[in-house]
Amino acid sequence: MASSATTCSSVLHLLHNDTSTSSLLSPKGMHLRSSSFSLLSPRRTSSPSPMIQFSPKGFGSANPLFVATAEKKKSPFQTEAVRQLTGSVTKTEGFRFAIVIAKFNEIVTRPLMEGALDTFQKYSVREEDVDVVWVPGCFEIGLVAEKLGKSGKYNGIVCIGAVVRGDTTHYEEVANSTASGVLSAGFNSGVPCIFGVLTCENMDQALNRAGGKVGNKGSEAALTAIEMASLFGHHLKE
């Protein structure tokens, strides 16, 4: 503390006695007329001494402690020139769809199917342009979906099922195999195959997603099928 006081006293004494800075002082000798002041090196040389300057924001020269953010250069990449493709849910004329649905857990899968059919109707897909194919369980969905896709009759396929966890690892095996089968069906057929299979911890979760308080995932799958069919049919033609 003593060292700091001595240093400050020396600096003020220097400023008071230095004829080059005396003009900055008021008659009282202790108040600066400018909003800026400099701490000068005690030794005078022919070259300017290093100094630290402080300027309140908005007065005098720019404050060196506040550096303005550099203006971002405009990218040469013009987004206006990018062609953005998206499917439409309103242009459904001429599209045909199939629903592959598992009989197992029909108390869940049937409401899912009804939700899908209701959505197709709302979006102007004719009843005669939708076929429903029942399979024994979720494990068989992928095989049938791929067969339908390769037939060339459909623009989108909705895959519906319900896998509910039990006391064994059978749940994981069926759920993983079903998801892999639906994905492979789309890749191998070139037709969008939409995953509308529920994988739930218990029956309450499944029913809540089949028209219950969480909504109807069959309806969501049908809407996705319409959008993907539009994307493929209008923009991604071979």
Side-chain angles (χ1 to χ4, degrees):
M1 294 296 291
S3 176
S4 299
T6 301
T7 302
C8 291
S9 176
S10 299
V11 172
L12 291 175
H13 179 74
L14 174 63
L15 290 174
H16 183 72
N17 294 331
D18 194 336
T19 57
S20 64
T21 59
S22 60
S23 60
L24 298 176
L25 302 177
S26 68
K28 293 183 179 180
M30 293 303 295
H31 298 282
L32 296 177
R33 294 180 180 177
S34 170
S35 59
S36 302
F37 68 91
S38 303
L39 298 180
L40 304 178
S41 171
R43 296 180 59 188
R44 292 187 178 182
T45 60
S46 57
S47 59
S49 300
M51 61 181 65
I52 303 174
Q53 295 184 342
F54 299 87
S55 297
K57 187 175 181 182
F59 295 92
S61 59
N63 192 334
L65 299 182
F66 294 88
V67 180
T69 303
E71 183 179 355
K72 294 183 178 180
K73 295 182 179 179
K74 188 173 183 179
S75 173
F77 186 78
Q78 299 295 329
T79 56
E80 293 82 359
V82 176
R83 185 183 178 203
Q84 300 188 32
L85 308 178
T86 183
S88 171
V89 295
T90 58
K91 299 178 181 179
T92 59
E93 185 178 357
F95 288 157
R96 287 181 54 82
F97 299 93
I99 298 176
V100 183
I101 178 172
K103 294 178 182 178
F104 193 77
N105 283 330
E106 187 175 346
I107 190 175
V108 178
T109 61
R110 185 171 288 277
L112 291 173
M113 179 196 68
E114 293 172 351
L117 291 174
D118 183 59
T119 296
F120 281 136
Q121 184 179 12
K122 287 180 179 178
Y123 286 86
S124 303
V125 178
R126 301 181 305 174
E127 289 185 3
E128 55 267 33
D129 289 334
V130 181
D131 293 331
V132 178
V133 181
W134 290 86
V135 296
C138 290
F139 199 83
E140 294 76 33
I141 290 177
L143 177 63
V144 175
E146 183 173 334
K147 184 74 171 180
L148 294 173
K150 289 182 176 180
S151 71
K153 297 180 180 179
Y154 304 100
N155 300 95
I157 299 170
V158 178
C159 302
I160 290 178
V163 185
V164 180
R165 184 182 292 278
D167 296 329
T168 67
T169 58
H170 182 69
Y171 168 86
E172 282 83 3
E173 296 296 334
V174 174
N176 292 336
S177 297
T178 302
S180 178
V182 173
L183 182 63
S184 297
F187 282 147
N188 296 333
S189 68
V191 175
C193 294
I194 312 304
F195 191 77
V197 179
L198 300 182
T199 55
C200 303
E201 292 292 326
N202 50 61
M203 187 60 69
D204 286 341
Q205 288 183 356
L207 292 173
N208 283 333
R209 289 158 177 76
K213 60 183 180 181
V214 185
N216 192 305
K217 299 303 178 180
S219 175
E220 294 178 13
L223 190 60
T224 301
I226 294 173
E227 185 173 348
M228 288 296 291
S230 174
L231 180 64
F232 273 60
H234 297 147
H235 302 299
L236 303 181
K237 294 181 180 180
E238 295 182 0

